[in-house]
Amino acid sequence: MLGRSGNPTLNDKSFEKSGHYLGADRMTIEGTVNKAFITLAILLGAAFATWSMYFNGQNVTGFAIGGAIGGLILALVISFKPTTARYLVPVYAALEGAFLGALSASYEGRFNGITLQAALITMCVFIALLLAYKTRLIKATENFKLGVFAATAGIALVYLVSIVLGMFGVTVPYLHDNSLIGIGISLVIVIVAALNLVLDFDFIEQGAQRGAPKYMEWYGAFGLIVTLVWLYIEILRLLSKLRSR
């Protein structure tokens, strides 16, 4: 949930710090899309590796934990130091992929076919919101950005509280159960995660228009991939709650 345009580390100030560039040295939408595909390919490759190891009977717990912690550390570094994006985003993608592959395999082991469903829904949501943004059916106004950011920050706070309380054996009501309220909460989180894609699209478009430096293509691709991974995980959780009923 770090590094997207709803986050204070990826907003207008990012452009103010980076200056204005011309020609081949500036950020473009096409360049950002290409780098997003490269990042996604690395992530999927690493995910497939840990997925295969899991179903071959190997213990992938170390990869899951290492990927999650390493990915979080790199996400923080990239978010607060955008100039490192061109070097660290591929490494982040590999670490995140290792974690995601292990997580997906564990869900697949309990609910056959759930990962394919989650991936297809994620892809459909992405395409639908991209079309809505391109046709200006959805506009990234300042009020829209503020609302999505506030909702995202609220969700992050709830998850943080849940983790802290979990260390003491306390569970946040409804957040992880398959009750109707729990399913409703997951659905709301999925919607908020999806709306963050609109902010990412806007960030990439604004970066290209303002002549941001070339390394911001990696930064924009990073934010987009982070949002997609978050959306996929939340859809996976929502489907698992529905299937467990």
Side-chain angles (χ1 to χ4, degrees):
M1 294 167 64
L2 295 166
R4 67 180 63 82
S5 51
N7 187 285
T9 64
L10 192 59
N11 54 22
D12 289 344
K13 292 182 180 179
S14 301
F15 299 127
E16 293 172 4
K17 294 176 183 177
S18 60
H20 186 86
Y21 288 70
L22 299 173
D25 292 329
R26 67 180 293 167
M27 177 184 183
T28 65
I29 293 177
E30 181 181 3
T32 306
V33 170
N34 291 338
K35 290 171 176 60
F37 274 119
I38 293 172
T39 305
L40 185 60
I42 295 172
L43 187 147
L44 292 177
F48 180 75
T50 51
W51 170 285
S52 299
M53 292 171 62
Y54 179 92
F55 285 105
N56 285 331
Q58 300 181 50
N59 188 344
V60 296
T61 303
F63 290 96
I65 296 175
I69 296 176
L72 176 60
I73 292 173
L74 288 186
L76 290 170
V77 174
I78 295 168
S79 294
F80 291 101
K81 193 69 173 177
T83 53
T84 64
R86 70 183 78 181
Y87 311 110
L88 296 184
V89 168
V91 182
Y92 164 81
L95 290 170
E96 193 71 9
F99 161 72
L100 200 61
L103 179 69
S104 298
S106 66
Y107 272 95
E108 185 71 18
R110 286 181 287 166
F111 308 103
N112 184 43
I114 192 173
T115 51
L116 179 59
Q117 292 176 342
L120 288 175
I121 293 174
T122 302
M123 182 175 64
C124 289
V125 170
F126 173 82
I127 294 173
L129 284 175
L130 179 59
L131 290 174
Y133 179 78
K134 292 293 289 183
T135 58
R136 299 306 185 222
L137 187 62
I138 296 179
K139 296 181 180 180
T141 64
E142 290 306 313
N143 286 335
F144 179 88
K145 293 178 184 179
L146 181 61
V148 174
F149 172 69
T152 303
I155 292 169
L157 181 60
V158 170
Y159 276 141
L160 179 61
V161 170
S162 175
I163 293 172
V164 173
L165 292 180
M167 296 178 181
F168 299 96
V170 180
T171 303
V172 176
Y174 306 117
L175 186 61
H176 303 292
D177 62 42
N178 64 351
S179 65
L180 291 178
I181 296 178
I183 291 172
I185 290 173
S186 285
L187 182 59
V188 170
I189 295 175
V190 166
I191 292 172
V192 173
L195 291 178
N196 270 274
L197 286 171
V198 176
L199 304 189
D200 292 328
F201 299 150
D202 180 69
F203 175 83
I204 293 169
E205 185 176 55
Q206 291 295 319
Q209 291 177 354
R210 299 188 188 189
K214 198 70 175 176
Y215 68 80
M216 292 296 285
E217 293 179 348
W218 284 107
Y219 199 42
F222 163 70
L224 189 60
I225 295 301
V226 167
T227 304
L228 284 172
V229 168
W230 179 36
L231 177 61
Y232 167 78
I233 291 175
E234 294 300 343
I235 290 175
L236 198 60
R237 294 183 68 246
L238 175 59
L239 291 176
S240 69
K241 290 182 179 183
L242 293 171
R243 293 276 291 270
S244 64
R245 289 176 65 89

